[in-house]
Amino acid sequence: MTQGALVVGSIGVLINVVDAIGTGRLEPHDAFVALVALGAGGELLKERRPTAAKALQAVTSVLLVVAGSVAGVRAWGALFRGTTYDWVDLALGVLVVLYVGVGTAQLLARLSQGTARSRLSAGTLSD
């Protein structure tokens, strides 16, 4: 399944590159097939090269946030100005906000668990 996602994502990247060359512009939502390819590559490398897999996952997350933010800001700005906008870009903006929110909540939960564990191991936790 992951190899299939890598192949499909790679083909999508090639299609988007050809389209960008033909039209002369690259749209933010064109980056999402690259996200599929990068995510699949990270999954395939997870067992053999965990450091490279983590790096690919980090690049994928940053690309997701940047591309989704650009697409969302453009669409939401157009919506508030009353001009034409793309529903896909509008939805991507909302999904990126949710993605960042969930990631932040997970990070805060992990940090609070680490603090509780360090207090417990230091013996300063009182009942």
Side-chain angles (χ1 to χ4, degrees):
M1 178 78 99
T2 306
Q3 292 171 342
L6 181 61
V7 169
V8 170
S10 299
I11 292 170
V13 168
L14 290 174
I15 290 170
N16 284 340
V17 167
V18 170
D19 183 50
I21 291 170
T23 61
R25 65 187 279 198
L26 187 65
E27 294 295 325
H29 57 264
D30 292 339
F32 286 90
V33 291
L35 293 171
V36 171
L38 287 170
E43 280 296 314
L44 289 172
L45 288 174
K46 194 181 276 186
E47 290 182 15
R48 285 184 253 157
R49 299 201 181 246
T51 306
K54 286 182 182 182
L56 272 179
Q57 290 170 348
V59 168
T60 303
S61 294
V62 169
L63 182 61
L64 172 71
V65 171
V66 169
S69 297
V70 169
V73 166
R74 285 183 185 177
W76 282 98
L79 176 70
F80 290 131
R81 285 190 306 272
T83 59
T84 60
Y85 56 90
D86 189 354
W87 279 99
V88 172
D89 290 344
L90 197 66
L92 289 175
V94 171
L95 290 174
V96 164
V97 168
L98 293 173
Y99 178 77
V100 169
V102 168
T104 303
Q106 287 177 337
L107 180 63
L108 290 174
R110 188 174 296 149
L111 289 174
S112 69
Q113 286 176 353
T115 304
R117 284 187 195 136
S118 65
R119 285 184 188 163
L120 184 62
S121 65
T124 60
L125 191 63
S126 61
D127 289 320

